[in-house]
Amino acid sequence: MSNLKLLSKILRLKGMKITAFEFVDRNRELHLSIKPRKNGCRCPHCGRRGRIVPARREGRVWEDLTIFGLKVLLWYCPKEIECRTHGRVQEEIAWAARYSRITYRLEWRICMLCQLMTQKAAAAVLKMPPSTVSDLLQRIIARVRDGHAIRGLRTLGADEISFCKGRKFATIVYDLDRACVVWVGAGKGRQTIDRFFNECLSEGQKRRIRWASCDMSRAYTEAIKHHCQNATLVIDHFHVTKALTEAVDEVRKEEWRELGTEQRKSIKGLRWLLRMHSAHRSKRQTRLLNRLRNSNRRIHRAWVLKDEFAHFWGYSYKASAENFLRRWMTAALRSRIPSLRTFLGTLREHLDNILAFVDRNLTNAVGEGINRIIKIVKNRASGYRGLHNFSDMIYLVVGDLDIPAQIPSNLYSL
Ligand SMILES: [Zn+2]
């Protein structure tokens, strides 16, 4: 076996032939002159073969995967061809994207590593400057997502996240059926979500959305009602429970402010206890709460109402669920607790959409799960400065298209 053949076998360069090799920079770099075995002279736009045009050609270089700490660079002079449709173009390169300076398989590795670790760590593994990795990643993701359209969206979820140390916000739209992120946009509120509906979905796509889930903020509910006429909006049950828990906590805070130092002792340590779901409480904790009946009736009343409300999520018939909810609302109204009244106001406003939960137990749980992953991504980089880098990472890790799979690396096995 000749040296060139051996080298080609070791590097697994398929579909191309090594014509020469050279060690450069005190054996730290391996430069290979290559040429495609077949399928050359194809137009990058239409894939048809074209006539070679004599031109002054310049050699181009592509960085490939590093082997044993040895940087591998591929050299080749792309031919210029005359395509019948597209005119004079440079031939398509099989091992790399059009303007890319790295091979597909290096792109693939960068994506895989960045999914698993921080860009900085990936840069250390790849022995590249972190800025280069970030730059390359940005280009890969931009290329893969360019012209990408959202497909088959039936169940939509919307939520907001914070980044940049909680100072900036982004709106995230999920496909809850496929458990992925379809869109990330800067800002929160009506304008942002409107941008998603106007720019990313066609009228037909909007009509095909059957279910939607979001929190109780007007920006989202009204935008969804406006754009998706056929969708049933279900208020996310986490957000309803959260609002109720906050209302109960408000009662505790009020009492705390009003009571004297001595009396405060009786309601000490209730903060987390009141938040707890009844299923997670120990017997001792429940006894502690029951004791409130004698020591602080208001908090006790609020707590009982909160615990009762949890039964709502177990109903499977809409009529009985509605009955229950109306009875609960009357009881809450009778309690004469101001913060609960505020909660009742929100409840009444979204009643139909909360009741829709009975029809389909749709929650943003999938979205919350994705948010957890996003939080890990965020923490890994200890906060992103701009949304651009952050949304790139979101698309890479939990996006609606598997980015590494979109890179044609099957030509050259890894
Ligand atoms: Zn062409």
Side-chain angles (χ1 to χ4, degrees):
M1 197 185 273
S2 75
N3 286 344
L4 293 176
K5 244 188 184 159
L6 177 69
L7 205 52
S8 181
K9 268 225 152 79
I10 291 172
L11 297 175
R12 299 186 145 214
L13 293 171
K14 284 181 199 159
M16 59 178 103
K17 199 176 160 188
I18 302 174
T19 52
F21 69 91
E22 188 188 2
F23 285 94
V24 186
D25 192 16
R26 277 186 273 157
N27 289 344
R28 265 179 286 193
E29 285 182 10
L30 172 60
H31 289 216
L32 302 170
S33 300
I34 54 162
K35 83 178 192 206
R37 265 186 210 286
K38 52 183 176 186
N39 286 337
C41 311
R42 283 186 188 276
C43 168
H45 305 291
C46 59
R48 269 183 300 194
R49 268 174 194 271
R51 190 168 53 82
I52 300 171
V53 186
R56 227 188 70 221
R57 286 149 41 191
E58 278 173 37
R60 277 180 65 187
V61 61
W62 292 268
E63 191 174 338
D64 198 10
L65 289 175
T66 305
I67 50 152
F68 309 120
L70 196 66
K71 203 168 166 180
V72 179
L73 295 162
L74 309 178
W75 289 84
Y76 177 62
C77 266
K79 295 185 185 83
E80 265 190 33
I81 57 163
E82 177 85 34
C83 172
R84 251 180 275 166
T85 328
H86 299 99
R88 208 172 157 143
V89 282
Q90 200 171 70
E91 69 171 329
E92 191 186 9
I93 301 299
W95 53 84
R98 204 148 168 235
Y99 299 110
S100 178
R101 278 167 302 165
I102 60 172
T103 58
Y104 281 133
R105 55 185 192 182
L106 181 56
E107 284 189 349
W108 195 83
R109 172 148 308 170
I110 289 173
C111 285
M112 290 314 274
L113 288 176
C114 288
Q115 274 191 336
L116 298 170
M117 54 183 88
T118 61
Q119 292 184 13
K120 210 171 156 189
V125 173
L126 294 161
K127 293 195 167 62
M128 280 180 178
S131 59
T132 312
V133 172
S134 144
D135 197 40
L136 288 170
L137 192 69
Q138 209 173 315
R139 271 187 222 186
I140 298 165
I141 293 168
R143 191 187 75 226
V144 173
R145 284 200 64 87
D146 184 34
H148 163 72
I150 296 164
R151 282 205 194 97
L153 185 61
R154 298 281 174 278
T155 310
L156 171 146
D159 205 356
E160 64 191 35
I161 52 158
S162 69
F163 65 103
C164 195
K165 295 185 183 114
R167 275 178 287 132
K168 286 182 187 166
F169 290 90
T171 299
I172 295 196
V173 180
Y174 313 96
D175 181 336
L176 295 176
D177 290 330
R178 287 184 295 163
C180 59
V181 172
V182 292
W183 191 75
V184 183
K188 56 175 183 175
R190 183 69 197 261
Q191 279 175 326
T192 312
I193 191 91
D194 271 346
R195 227 170 60 224
F196 164 72
F197 283 116
N198 293 332
E199 289 170 15
C200 303
L201 297 182
S202 67
E203 286 305 313
Q205 277 179 312
K206 286 185 207 167
R207 260 181 269 124
R208 280 194 291 275
I209 295 173
R210 292 275 164 218
W211 296 91
S213 169
C214 67
D215 62 12
M216 289 189 281
S217 78
R218 279 221 188 108
Y220 292 154
T221 53
E222 279 174 12
I224 289 170
K225 279 176 195 166
H226 176 75
H227 290 284
C228 320
Q229 264 113 14
N230 296 332
T232 309
L233 178 65
V234 183
I235 298 290
D236 181 33
H237 109 240
F238 286 110
H239 286 100
V240 178
T241 310
K242 198 175 148 207
L244 177 58
T245 311
E246 268 161 23
V248 173
D249 199 49
E250 196 49 49
V251 181
R252 183 192 63 84
K253 278 189 208 155
E254 264 170 32
E255 290 293 304
W256 183 266
R257 279 194 292 267
E258 277 167 25
L259 291 176
T261 336
E262 262 310 299
Q263 290 157 305
R264 275 182 185 179
K265 272 182 192 161
S266 63
I267 58 166
K268 216 173 167 193
L270 281 179
R271 193 168 165 202
W272 297 109
L273 220 51
L274 285 170
R275 278 167 189 259
M276 240 181 235
H277 190 270
S278 59
H280 301 152
R281 250 185 341 243
S282 70
K283 268 191 186 142
R284 199 184 63 85
Q285 287 168 327
T286 312
R287 227 175 294 138
L288 211 70
L289 284 168
N290 273 326
R291 223 173 284 155
L292 280 174
R293 190 207 292 265
N294 300 323
S295 56
N296 195 314
R297 288 215 83 126
R298 258 163 74 87
I299 300 181
H300 183 261
R301 188 85 202 101
W303 164 64
V304 170
L305 281 167
K306 176 195 159 260
D307 253 25
E308 275 173 5
F309 190 83
H311 292 297
F312 170 74
W313 309 113
Y315 275 93
S316 43
Y317 293 103
K318 209 167 181 178
S320 37
E322 189 171 354
N323 258 335
F324 169 83
L325 208 57
R326 294 214 182 268
R327 259 182 289 132
W328 186 89
M329 283 162 85
T330 319
L333 203 64
R334 282 209 192 114
S335 72
R336 273 180 260 147
I337 300 170
S339 62
L340 275 181
R341 282 194 177 189
T342 323
F343 173 74
L344 280 178
T346 353
L347 204 61
R348 216 168 276 138
E349 193 182 330
H350 300 286
L351 195 63
D352 290 338
N353 300 324
I354 292 170
L355 279 170
F357 181 83
V358 181
D359 293 330
R360 185 179 168 184
N361 289 11
L362 181 70
T363 68
N364 240 340
V366 173
E368 301 292 324
I370 297 171
N371 278 2
R372 259 194 298 281
I373 301 172
I374 292 174
K375 210 171 262 176
I376 296 168
V377 169
K378 189 170 82 175
N379 292 343
R380 242 171 20 194
S382 50
Y384 286 88
R385 255 166 295 143
L387 180 65
H388 212 81
N389 290 325
F390 188 34
S391 61
D392 274 355
M393 286 310 292
I394 294 172
Y395 286 133
L396 178 66
V397 180
V398 282
D400 59 337
L401 77 170
D402 184 3
I403 287 170
Q406 301 301 315
I407 299 168
S409 63
N410 51 342
L411 258 171
Y412 313 96
S413 53
L414 288 163

